[in-house]
Structures are given as structure tokens and as C-alpha cells.
Amino acid sequence: MSEEVRVRIAPSPSGNLHVGTARTALFNYLYAKKVGGKFVLRIEDTDAERTSQAYIDNIFDSLKALGLNWDEGPDVGGPYGPYTQSERFDIYPKYVQELLDKGFAYECYCTPEELEAEKEEATKNKKAYVYSKKCENLTEEEKAKLRAEGRKPAIRFSIDKARKAFHDSPVIHFEDLVKGDLHQDTSLIGDFVIMKSNGSPTYNFAVVIDDMLMKISHIIRGEDHISNTFKQILIYEALGAEVPRFGHLGMILAPDRSKLSKRHGATAVSEFVEKGYLTEALINFVALLGWAPSDGVEIKNVDEIAQDFRIHEVSSSNSVFEYDKLNWMNGQYIKKLSTEELKERLKPFLTKYDLSELNDEQYTRMVEVTREPLTILSDITDAVPYFFGKDVVVDDEVQTTVLDTETSQEVLKAFVEQAKDWEWTEENLHEKLEVFRGEFKEKGIKPKVTMWAIRGAVTGRTRGADMTAVLAILGKDKVLNRAKKAIK
Ligand code: GLU
């Protein structure tokens, strides 16, 4: 085993960075961080049709936003690059040849139709499909004949030959960092293609060559890769390479225990960010999908998590992505932000308003009095419309049940009459409103009813931020204008 701990995240850019990949990246990162190892990013873009530059950019941006900065990768380089598979195509043939020379691989001339027929036959007999090995023992003459027909061979890995060379039993084992002993009957693994007839390597092959050349010591990834791991171990052995340690993480399920997908809500890191989740909350939440802090304190930053992280303590079972818990956690993180920080972070969610209507002091105060109930940053959008514009949109219900009442009309008339002479500071407004409510109380009108009338007229709503602060922020002109408009 190479001395240095080197881990990697190897996303395929066929979509935006998924939270599941973010968790895998995090666990690799934590594992490396703990022992001063290296965290490598490799882009696995051999499937050109599904790859796009926008997805690659999204992966970079999302990992960076989460604080998962890589030590080596496509943009920063490193000693074992290039780190993008499509730039490595000339590296793979040499290793294919090595396997052919050693007798661990062979040319396969089967056409897609022939293979399809084999698969159909297996389905008909209710058997799991395993390639027939029809091409394993072709003579040079037979191959020449097939080539003369215009066929181009794919290269297949010979499971049985590799297995027999390195293992006594058809059942092979490895010690998983998370799940302990795992084994597989290799007779159930078909001889799989390592290089397609067009010369492009397949995932199981390219990943081994890259991990080998990039000196990856530990591979932590989702348990959906366990069946691949057995294939990959045999390739390492066939190449005479050191087999890295593997750790497989349980899957992330939706609250309904099905695979987490779009229909449950956001799944890509960037979607969460667009919805107003903080990346520091998201990464903390994602860490808890399979890992638990030893002191039971769940709110922790990545450095604190790294101190406490032990891969063998990661749960081997599936975790449920509880959106409610993420919301709670995000709310906790918002509460921890300073007002200055929050002012900045809220700006992308206030673009429908003209922020220049508020000076810095007013904007600060608005954030102070509206931040309490925020669980996601985008909650601000619907919480503040009445801070902007000359007029206000009044809810129909507020109009009929609050503003149209005789009491409200009476309150508003008195308010306009008195308030025009008030000194418009928050402190003074607080005192004046106290007195104002008192006067109406003597006439038998409850203080909250008095305030509803003012709030309804000024904000169009019956609930919202501290009323005195709202009046102060809006300023006398806007407040009186709105109050007058509400008077019939
Ligand atoms: N590109 C593969 C994926 O995204 C990587 C799997 C692995 O970690 O080996 O699933």
C-alpha cells in the first residue's frame, strides 16, 4: 500500500452536482483531511453524449461553494494528470494490450444483434445474463475472417482467467472500510467489455487505470458500485497493481424511502443554493447522512467534522434525506449569520424589489426585523414586499375583514390626523403608538384591533415584522399616504 493517503471524487458530468455526490466527495475529503492526505478531482467524461461543459462548470462551482477544494484536478493540475478522462484516451490502449498479452483479455467480435439475442435468450430462461464467452477462444484465422467481414473487435476482460490466477475460490472477498467483509461469486460476473470497438475505454477499466496511475489509496463511493469493485479488483490484480482500499456508503433515500429524485424536491447542490439554502448548512446536513458526531452536537463546520470523522463509524445502511431537518438546520445557520453577512446573502432574493429605495440603515433595520422566521433565504422575498413602492397591495381578506370595518376607518382617520405631527424615529413612534392605542382602549377598542387597522393599511397584511420598525423604515410620507388611501 502506498504510504500517502490519496482519495478522489470522480463525477461524471452528465448532470449538475448531486447532493449524493457531494456527500461522497465530503467523506473522501474528510478522510484525506484527517491524515493530511490528498483529495483529487477527476472528471469521468468518457460518455461524450451525456457530458456537457455546463455540468463540468456546475461540478466545479458546487464543490468550491461547499468548501470541498481539491488538491489535484482538471483546473489546478497535479503530478498525475490530465485529470479529465477524455484527455487521457491515449493512455488506456497500452494497458489493454498488457491484459491481452497476459491472456486476461480477448477480442470480441460479437455484433450488437448477437449480444441482444443472447440477452433475450437469458430473459426467456429467466436467467441473469452473462456473456457466453463465444469469442474467448477464437483462432487467429477465425479472427482474420471476422475482420475481413468488416467487424471491429471490442476487448473483453476474462473474469475466470484472472480469478484463477489470483484466487483459490470462485468467491472473492475484500474488506470494505465501511461494510466489513464483502464477497462475490465471480461465476456470476460476465466477461465485460473494457474497450469498445471504437477504442473508447469503459468505466470499469478507465477507472482502474486512472486510480492506479493517480496512486489513489482509498476509494470511498456509493454502494451501487460494490458489484463494480469485484471487477475492478480483478483488473488491478491482472495488471500486477496494488489494490486500493474500498469503502462503500449506503444510499441516500427520499423520505418515502424511494431513490431520491427530482420529484421529492431539489437534488442538485446548485438547486438548493438557488432556493436559498446556505452551503455551510447543506454540507453539515449531508455529513449527517451516514455519520454521527461523537458528542451528539449536530451543528458543526467541516473542520470540526473532520476532527471527529472516522470512516469505519460511517453507517453501512441507507440514510433518509429529511428535507424538514435540512430546513431546520438551514434556519439555525441563518440565525448564526451576522446582520451584515445576511444583508449580502439576501440580496439575490430581493432582486424583484428596488433596493435603492432603502438606505443602508433602513435595509439593515429591515433585515433585523424580518430575519427571525427565515428558514431559507428565499423566504425573504414574500416577507418584505410592503417595504417597497409607494403603495401597497392589500390582501382581499385584509380589505374586507380589517380595513372596511367602521372601527378601522375611525382608527385610520385618527392616525393620519395625529401622526402627521409625530417625530418619525422608531423610539418616538413606539411611545406615540402606545398612547394612541391607549386612547382607543378607553373607547373599548382592543389594542390589537387598533394595530391591525394600521398594519393592514400600511402593509396590506395582518401579520409581519415589528410595526414600529416598519413605520420608521417606510418613513412618514409613505405611511401617511398608505393610511389615507385606506380611508374611504
Ligand atoms: N464516474 C463514476 C460515477 O459518477 C465514479 C464512480 C467511482 O467512484 O468509481 O458514478
Side-chain angles (χ1 to χ4, degrees), residues 4 27 37 81 85 107 128 157 192 223 226 233 260 268 277 300 327 348 461 481:
E4 196 191 9
F27 284 9
Q85 278 184 335
E107 294 180 347
F157 187 69
F192 57 95
E223 68 178 23
I226 291 175
I233 287 173
L260 186 67
Y277 290 89
K300 280 194 162 60
N327 288 341
R461 303 175 171 197
N481 178 56

Side-chain angles (χ1 to χ4, degrees), residues 8 10-12 44 203 207 221 225:
R8 55 34 165 209
S12 302
E44 300 207 325
Y203 159 69
V207 77
R221 59 186 174 193
H225 283 289

Side-chain angles (χ1 to χ4, degrees), residues 57-303:
D57 294 342
N58 181 277
I59 290 168
F60 284 14
D61 293 346
S62 301
L63 287 172
K64 282 183 191 154
L66 293 169
L68 302 176
N69 296 309
W70 49 98
D71 303 301
E72 294 169 27
D75 54 344
V76 293
Y80 309 113
Y83 293 89
T84 300
Q85 278 184 335
S86 60
E87 292 168 23
R88 298 174 62 81
F89 274 9
D90 53 342
I91 293 173
Y92 307 112
K94 177 178 149 198
Y95 297 98
V96 173
Q97 194 56 49
E98 184 179 336
L99 292 177
L100 285 167
D101 293 345
K102 288 179 168 172
F104 292 130
Y106 58 89
E107 294 180 347
C108 171
Y109 289 86
C110 291
T111 61
E113 294 74 29
E114 285 170 318
L115 295 172
E116 202 41 54
E118 282 191 1
K119 280 182 199 157
E120 273 170 26
E121 185 68 18
T123 317
K124 214 173 78 191
N125 299 328
K126 297 199 164 60
K127 279 193 177 154
Y129 170 66
V130 175
Y131 173 61
S132 66
K133 290 168 159 292
K134 176 154 101 179
C135 293
E136 187 169 23
N137 297 309
L138 292 176
T139 63
E140 285 311 316
E141 266 178 4
E142 287 167 323
K143 288 185 203 170
K145 209 174 139 228
L146 289 159
R147 276 197 294 268
E149 283 176 23
R151 297 200 195 190
K152 276 210 179 116
I155 311 297
R156 282 184 190 269
F157 187 69
S158 177
I159 292 284
D160 210 35
K161 291 214 174 108
R163 196 284 293 169
K164 283 190 174 128
F166 304 103
H167 301 265
D168 297 332
S169 148
V171 178
I172 66 171
H173 293 254
F174 74 92
E175 186 66 19
D176 190 273
L177 292 163
V178 177
K179 293 179 181 277
D181 177 70
L182 292 177
H183 56 271
Q184 160 85 46
D185 181 348
T186 54
S187 66
L188 303 175
I189 310 176
D191 288 354
F192 57 95
V193 171
I194 55 173
M195 186 161 276
K196 297 184 205 163
S197 57
N198 65 8
S200 69
T202 59
Y203 159 69
N204 273 307
F205 182 66
V207 77
V208 170
I209 304 306
D210 289 348
D211 285 334
M212 174 180 85
L213 296 177
M214 293 177 188
K215 301 197 188 317
I216 300 302
S217 61
H218 296 74
I219 295 177
I220 299 164
R221 59 186 174 193
E223 68 178 23
D224 49 333
H225 283 289
I226 291 175
S227 60
N228 290 327
T229 299
F230 294 100
K231 297 177 184 172
Q232 292 170 17
I233 287 173
L234 289 171
I235 300 178
Y236 281 102
E237 290 171 335
L239 290 168
E242 219 171 341
V243 181
R245 294 295 310 272
F246 292 93
H248 291 91
L249 309 170
M251 303 309 284
I252 299 176
L253 304 179
D256 66 2
R257 312 281 148 150
S258 66
K259 190 170 174 262
L260 186 67
S261 75
K262 292 228 169 294
R263 77 192 156 86
H264 301 107
T267 52
V269 169
S270 51
E271 273 177 88
F272 282 101
V273 171
E274 279 158 25
K275 287 190 179 213
Y277 290 89
L278 305 182
T279 48
E280 52 271 54
L282 193 57
I283 197 76
N284 188 165
F285 174 75
V286 150
L288 300 173
L289 298 171
W291 174 81
S294 57
D295 60 3
V297 178
E298 292 194 315
I299 305 266
K300 280 194 162 60
N301 66 33
V302 173
D303 286 338

Side-chain angles (χ1 to χ4, degrees), residues 360-372:
D360 187 56
E361 203 186 320
Q362 291 167 319
Y363 180 44
T364 304
R365 191 69 188 127
M366 183 192 92
V367 171
E368 281 171 354
V369 295
T370 52
R371 63 178 294 167
E372 216 278 316

